Amino acid sequence: MTRDQARDTARDILEIIPLVMRTVAAELRAAGELPAPAHFGLLSMLSTRARSLTDLASLQGVSLPTMSSSISAMVERGWVRRAATPQDDRRVVMIEVTSTGRAALERVSRAAEGHLAEVLAPLDVPARRRLIGGLGVLRKVFAPPLSPVSRKGQRTPIRRRSYVP
């Protein structure tokens, strides 16, 4: 792929993915399933493991006060809780998802999946195959590979800069 083609593809991705997410978020808000779209992403991140407020702010590209406000709103809904760190370092507060938060995430995920299924149902087989192939490429480029299993039996994403097929 040439630099110009890569730039055109980047523009397309930056246009299409937010369009998909806005459409899903609007549908979820209309159905009363999602008070704030950013909370869905946060719940998804926290469902894999607890994270510090600083980590969440960095991952979302927002300031600490903005993230703190989002977390406070989610605490009020009972979706997350602030927890002490294993080292009991009072300066670091870990945020973890609650069972209520997991249930909300599952409900929202099912609703989003249902909406997308309705939108995609009219695609013919060749279009569906092209879409699945393109999504596979995006997954390879953007999903970090998992590290070997740690002593605690957990896998963590390995950070990488780029994907070369």
Side-chain angles (χ1 to χ4, degrees), residues 51-54 82-85 89-95:
R51 296 179 186 268
S52 71
L53 196 62
T54 302
R82 291 177 173 94
T85 61
D89 183 349
R90 297 181 72 152
R91 295 169 295 172
V92 178
V93 175
M94 298 301 285
I95 311 301

Side-chain angles (χ1 to χ4, degrees), residues 49 51 139-149 154-163:
R49 68 179 172 91
R51 296 179 186 268
R139 183 174 286 112
K140 284 179 185 174
V141 171
F142 292 105
L146 293 176
S147 67
V149 177
Q154 298 174 333
R155 291 178 174 254
T156 56
I158 297 172
R159 295 194 186 265
R160 64 178 176 188
R161 294 195 178 268
S162 63
Y163 168 76

Side-chain angles (χ1 to χ4, degrees), residues 6-161:
R7 200 171 284 279
D8 290 343
T9 302
R11 259 187 239 111
D12 287 345
I13 289 171
L14 291 172
E15 178 184 332
I16 293 165
I17 290 177
L19 178 61
V20 171
M21 296 312 294
R22 277 194 307 270
T23 302
V24 170
E27 181 68 23
L28 293 173
R29 275 193 307 274
E33 292 289 346
L34 188 64
H39 294 172
F40 179 66
L42 288 171
L43 279 175
S44 293
M45 276 191 273
L46 291 168
S47 71
T48 60
R49 68 179 172 91
R51 296 179 186 268
S52 71
L53 196 62
T54 302
D55 289 344
L56 291 170
S58 176
L59 288 166
Q60 295 290 90
V62 298
S63 68
L64 278 171
T66 297
M67 183 54 63
S68 182
S69 176
S70 290
I71 294 302
S72 292
M74 293 171 70
V75 166
E76 287 177 21
R77 288 188 180 93
W79 291 351
V80 299
R81 69 176 152 258
R82 291 177 173 94
T85 61
Q87 301 87 4
D88 289 327
D89 183 349
R90 297 181 72 152
R91 295 169 295 172
V92 178
V93 175
M94 298 301 285
I95 311 301
E96 57 188 24
V97 70
T98 64
S99 58
T100 303
R102 286 187 194 286
L105 178 60
E106 180 62 29
R107 192 176 58 251
V108 169
S109 294
R110 276 195 314 269
E113 185 178 301
H115 174 67
L116 284 173
E118 286 179 31
V119 171
L120 298 172
L123 291 179
D124 61 18
V125 173
R128 185 172 184 275
R129 283 189 184 132
R130 288 191 307 272
L131 177 59
I132 290 169
L135 292 173
V137 170
L138 288 175
R139 183 174 286 112
K140 284 179 185 174
V141 171
F142 292 105
L146 293 176
S147 67
V149 177
S150 71
R151 282 189 263 169
K152 294 180 182 178
Q154 298 174 333
R155 291 178 174 254
T156 56
I158 297 172
R159 295 194 186 265
R160 64 178 176 188
R161 294 195 178 268

